[in-house]
Amino acid sequence: MSLTLTVDGPRWREHLRRTAAAHPGLVPVVKGNGYGFGLGRLARRTQWLAEQDLGHEPGAGTCDTLAVGTYDEIGEVAQRFGGSIVVLTPWRPFGTALEATDDDALAERLVHTVGRLEDLRDLLERRPRARFVLERMTSMQRHGFTARGLWSVGEVLRAHPGARLEGVAMHFPLAHGSHTSEASRLLTDVVGAELPEGAGARTVWVSHLSDAELAGLAARWPEYRFRSRMGTGLWLGERSALTVTSTVLDVHPLERGDVFGYRGRTAPKSGHLLVVTGGTAHGIGLEAPTGDLGLRGRAATLARGGLDAVGFVRSPFSIDAKQRLFAEPPHMQASMLFLPTGARVPAVGDLLDVRVRYTATTFDRIVVT
């Protein structure tokens, strides 16, 4: 009686191997809720990938490093993965970033992301042999050095010969169209910065570039090594291997006008009330702002608003391949669905398919076959 993620193990593992084999130097991203799998499970799976024979040349470094989102997530992965850990959130001189910097046991494994000159100076004063990547500001306008800021880094690094530059990082937006031109322009800035020579000065960590874009950049900049940081495409790239199910807990017949639920709603017509596992504690019914700004996305938003106004909101739970309506807003660990007369009524204990956003869902059980 739980919200369950069932994984077709052989199919999923084959996808992971195939993806890693196609991306030499791959850096798996393990952050947030672990894309629904949990951080610990993905850390162990990254270790498994690092031990696979993927046919890469020596020194490719595929899966020798994983990326977490924040310093608070390090504890969940450090004991389950033996390689380097890069933190995507830029280093700042406060909070858990300082605690991690002061941890001698982590010093050799931890790779910081630095996006401001003052932070780089502060980090190297605290940890002269710190490992780090330099974040270059992209069109996302989120974190990172400007071109002028990057040019000033070389002077700081020459004053700290023990510092270990691991590369330059670029995080591109999830926008339509090619990022090749922007990436090339930013790489020109990297060349102009005259960073101290070494492997780090010739390594570029990238996010959200397609395989075609990566291949094009590698051909145009053969002296640089590109490392792709990948989360969704790796862990969730084989959706057919993933199934989410809910359990029917109760079924109640309803007549028009019957009162039900926490909020004392009235049944608009006859049918059945289903109580199923999965609620707000799992992420069911919690919706992030949509990224679809087109006419279709706007129309869907207006339609949902109209349904909500009259008490009908489409749920992620499906019966006979049709998404059914919430009878009322979902509860913490269960939801109520309304089935109109004429629809097939499942029995207590039956399983329903659920469509979820994996990065925002917590499962009671994860079963890997």
Side-chain angles (χ1 to χ4, degrees), residues 25-29 63-67 86 205 227-231 234:
L26 177 70
V27 180
V29 176
C63 298
D64 66 354
T65 302
L66 65 72
V86 60
W205 307 57
R227 302 201 66 176
S228 179
R229 301 178 297 194
M230 187 183 302
L234 177 64

Side-chain angles (χ1 to χ4, degrees), residues 41-74:
R41 185 186 300 272
L42 296 191
R44 289 192 296 270
R45 191 53 58 187
T46 301
Q47 183 66 47
W48 174 80
L49 281 171
E51 296 167 356
Q52 299 294 300
D53 181 5
L54 301 172
H56 294 164
E57 296 181 0
T62 306
C63 298
D64 66 354
T65 302
L66 65 72
V68 295
T70 68
Y71 286 90
D72 296 279
E73 295 170 347
I74 294 173

Side-chain angles (χ1 to χ4, degrees), residues 4 7 21 84 176 207 244 262 326 342 355:
T4 302
V7 183
S84 299
H176 296 294
S207 299
V244 180
Y262 277 133
F326 280 122
R355 182 179 180 180

